Amino acid sequence: VFQMPNPEQVRDGRGPDVRPTKTIDNVGDGNDLCILKDVLLFTQHGVLRVYSLIDPGTPTYVGKCGPVGDACHSQTIVADGRRAFLIGRNAIVMYALSDPVKPNHLATHRGEINAWTGCVAEKYLYVGGSDRNSGPLPETRCRLDRCYRRP
C-alpha cells in the first residue's frame, strides 16, 4: 500500500518520495487486483481474495470466494461493477458482484484460452491473448449466463 502525493505536491515533474505504508503478505498469486467501491480483490488461482478498504491505509482481510478444489490460472481481473471475470491460460471464472464483499461464483469456462487481458462491453466479455500453436486467439465472448468460444 502506497500513500500517493497530492497533485499540488508535484512540481517540475518531481514530488515527494513514494514509499510503502503497508505490505500485505500472501494475498494471492500476484497477477492482478482491482478496487470496487471500498473492496480490494486479488486473484488467487481462479479464486478472489477479498479485503475491506473501509480504512484505505489498512486493508482488512474478509475472506476468499470461488470454486473449491478447482484451481486454475488467473492472469487478470476484468470487472464492470456488476460482475467480475478472472481470465487465465486455462479458464474464465465468472462472479456476480451485487455485494463486492461477497462475490458470488457463477460459472467456470474451461479450455486452452491462453488469455491475459480483457474488457467488458454490455453483456459480452472480450479477451486477448494468443494460441501457442496457431497464431492469434479466436475471439472469445462470455455472456453472464454462459460462455462460449467462437470458431
Side-chain angles (χ1 to χ4, degrees):
V1 178
F2 292 84
Q3 184 171 353
M4 301 306 294
N6 293 322
E8 58 271 4
Q9 293 176 294
V10 178
R11 302 207 189 288
D12 301 323
R14 294 182 174 209
D17 286 341
V18 177
R19 300 181 195 277
T21 58
K22 180 169 179 65
T23 301
I24 308 169
D25 295 321
N26 304 316
V27 295
D29 55 24
N31 288 330
D32 203 7
L33 55 95
C34 75
I35 295 175
L36 299 165
K37 299 179 184 175
D38 59 356
V39 176
L40 176 62
L41 302 173
F42 289 91
T43 61
Q44 185 181 31
H45 309 295
V47 172
L48 288 174
R49 290 186 59 98
V50 182
Y51 285 77
S52 169
L53 292 179
I54 300 235
D55 177 1
T58 310
T60 305
Y61 180 68
V62 174
K64 64 182 180 177
C65 305
V68 177
D70 192 22
C72 59
H73 181 267
S74 49
Q75 186 67 32
T76 192
I77 301 172
V78 175
D80 69 358
R82 297 178 305 124
R83 56 205 167 172
F85 302 89
L86 273 60
I87 301 168
R89 287 190 298 261
N90 60 350
I92 297 172
V93 185
M94 299 184 292
Y95 293 89
L97 298 175
S98 55
D99 181 0
V101 174
K102 297 177 183 172
N104 180 29
H105 174 247
L106 296 175
T108 300
H109 169 72
R110 290 233 172 241
E112 277 300 310
I113 298 164
N114 200 31
W116 56 82
T117 189
C119 60
V120 176
E122 297 180 15
K123 62 181 179 180
Y124 293 100
L125 169 69
Y126 296 88
V127 301
S130 66
D131 185 334
R132 287 176 233 164
N133 299 320
S134 60
L137 177 74
E139 176 184 345
T140 300
R141 297 196 282 181
C142 280
R143 291 186 6 189
L144 189 55
D145 60 338
R146 64 186 173 115
C147 280
Y148 62 96
R149 187 166 171 163
R150 193 170 138 193

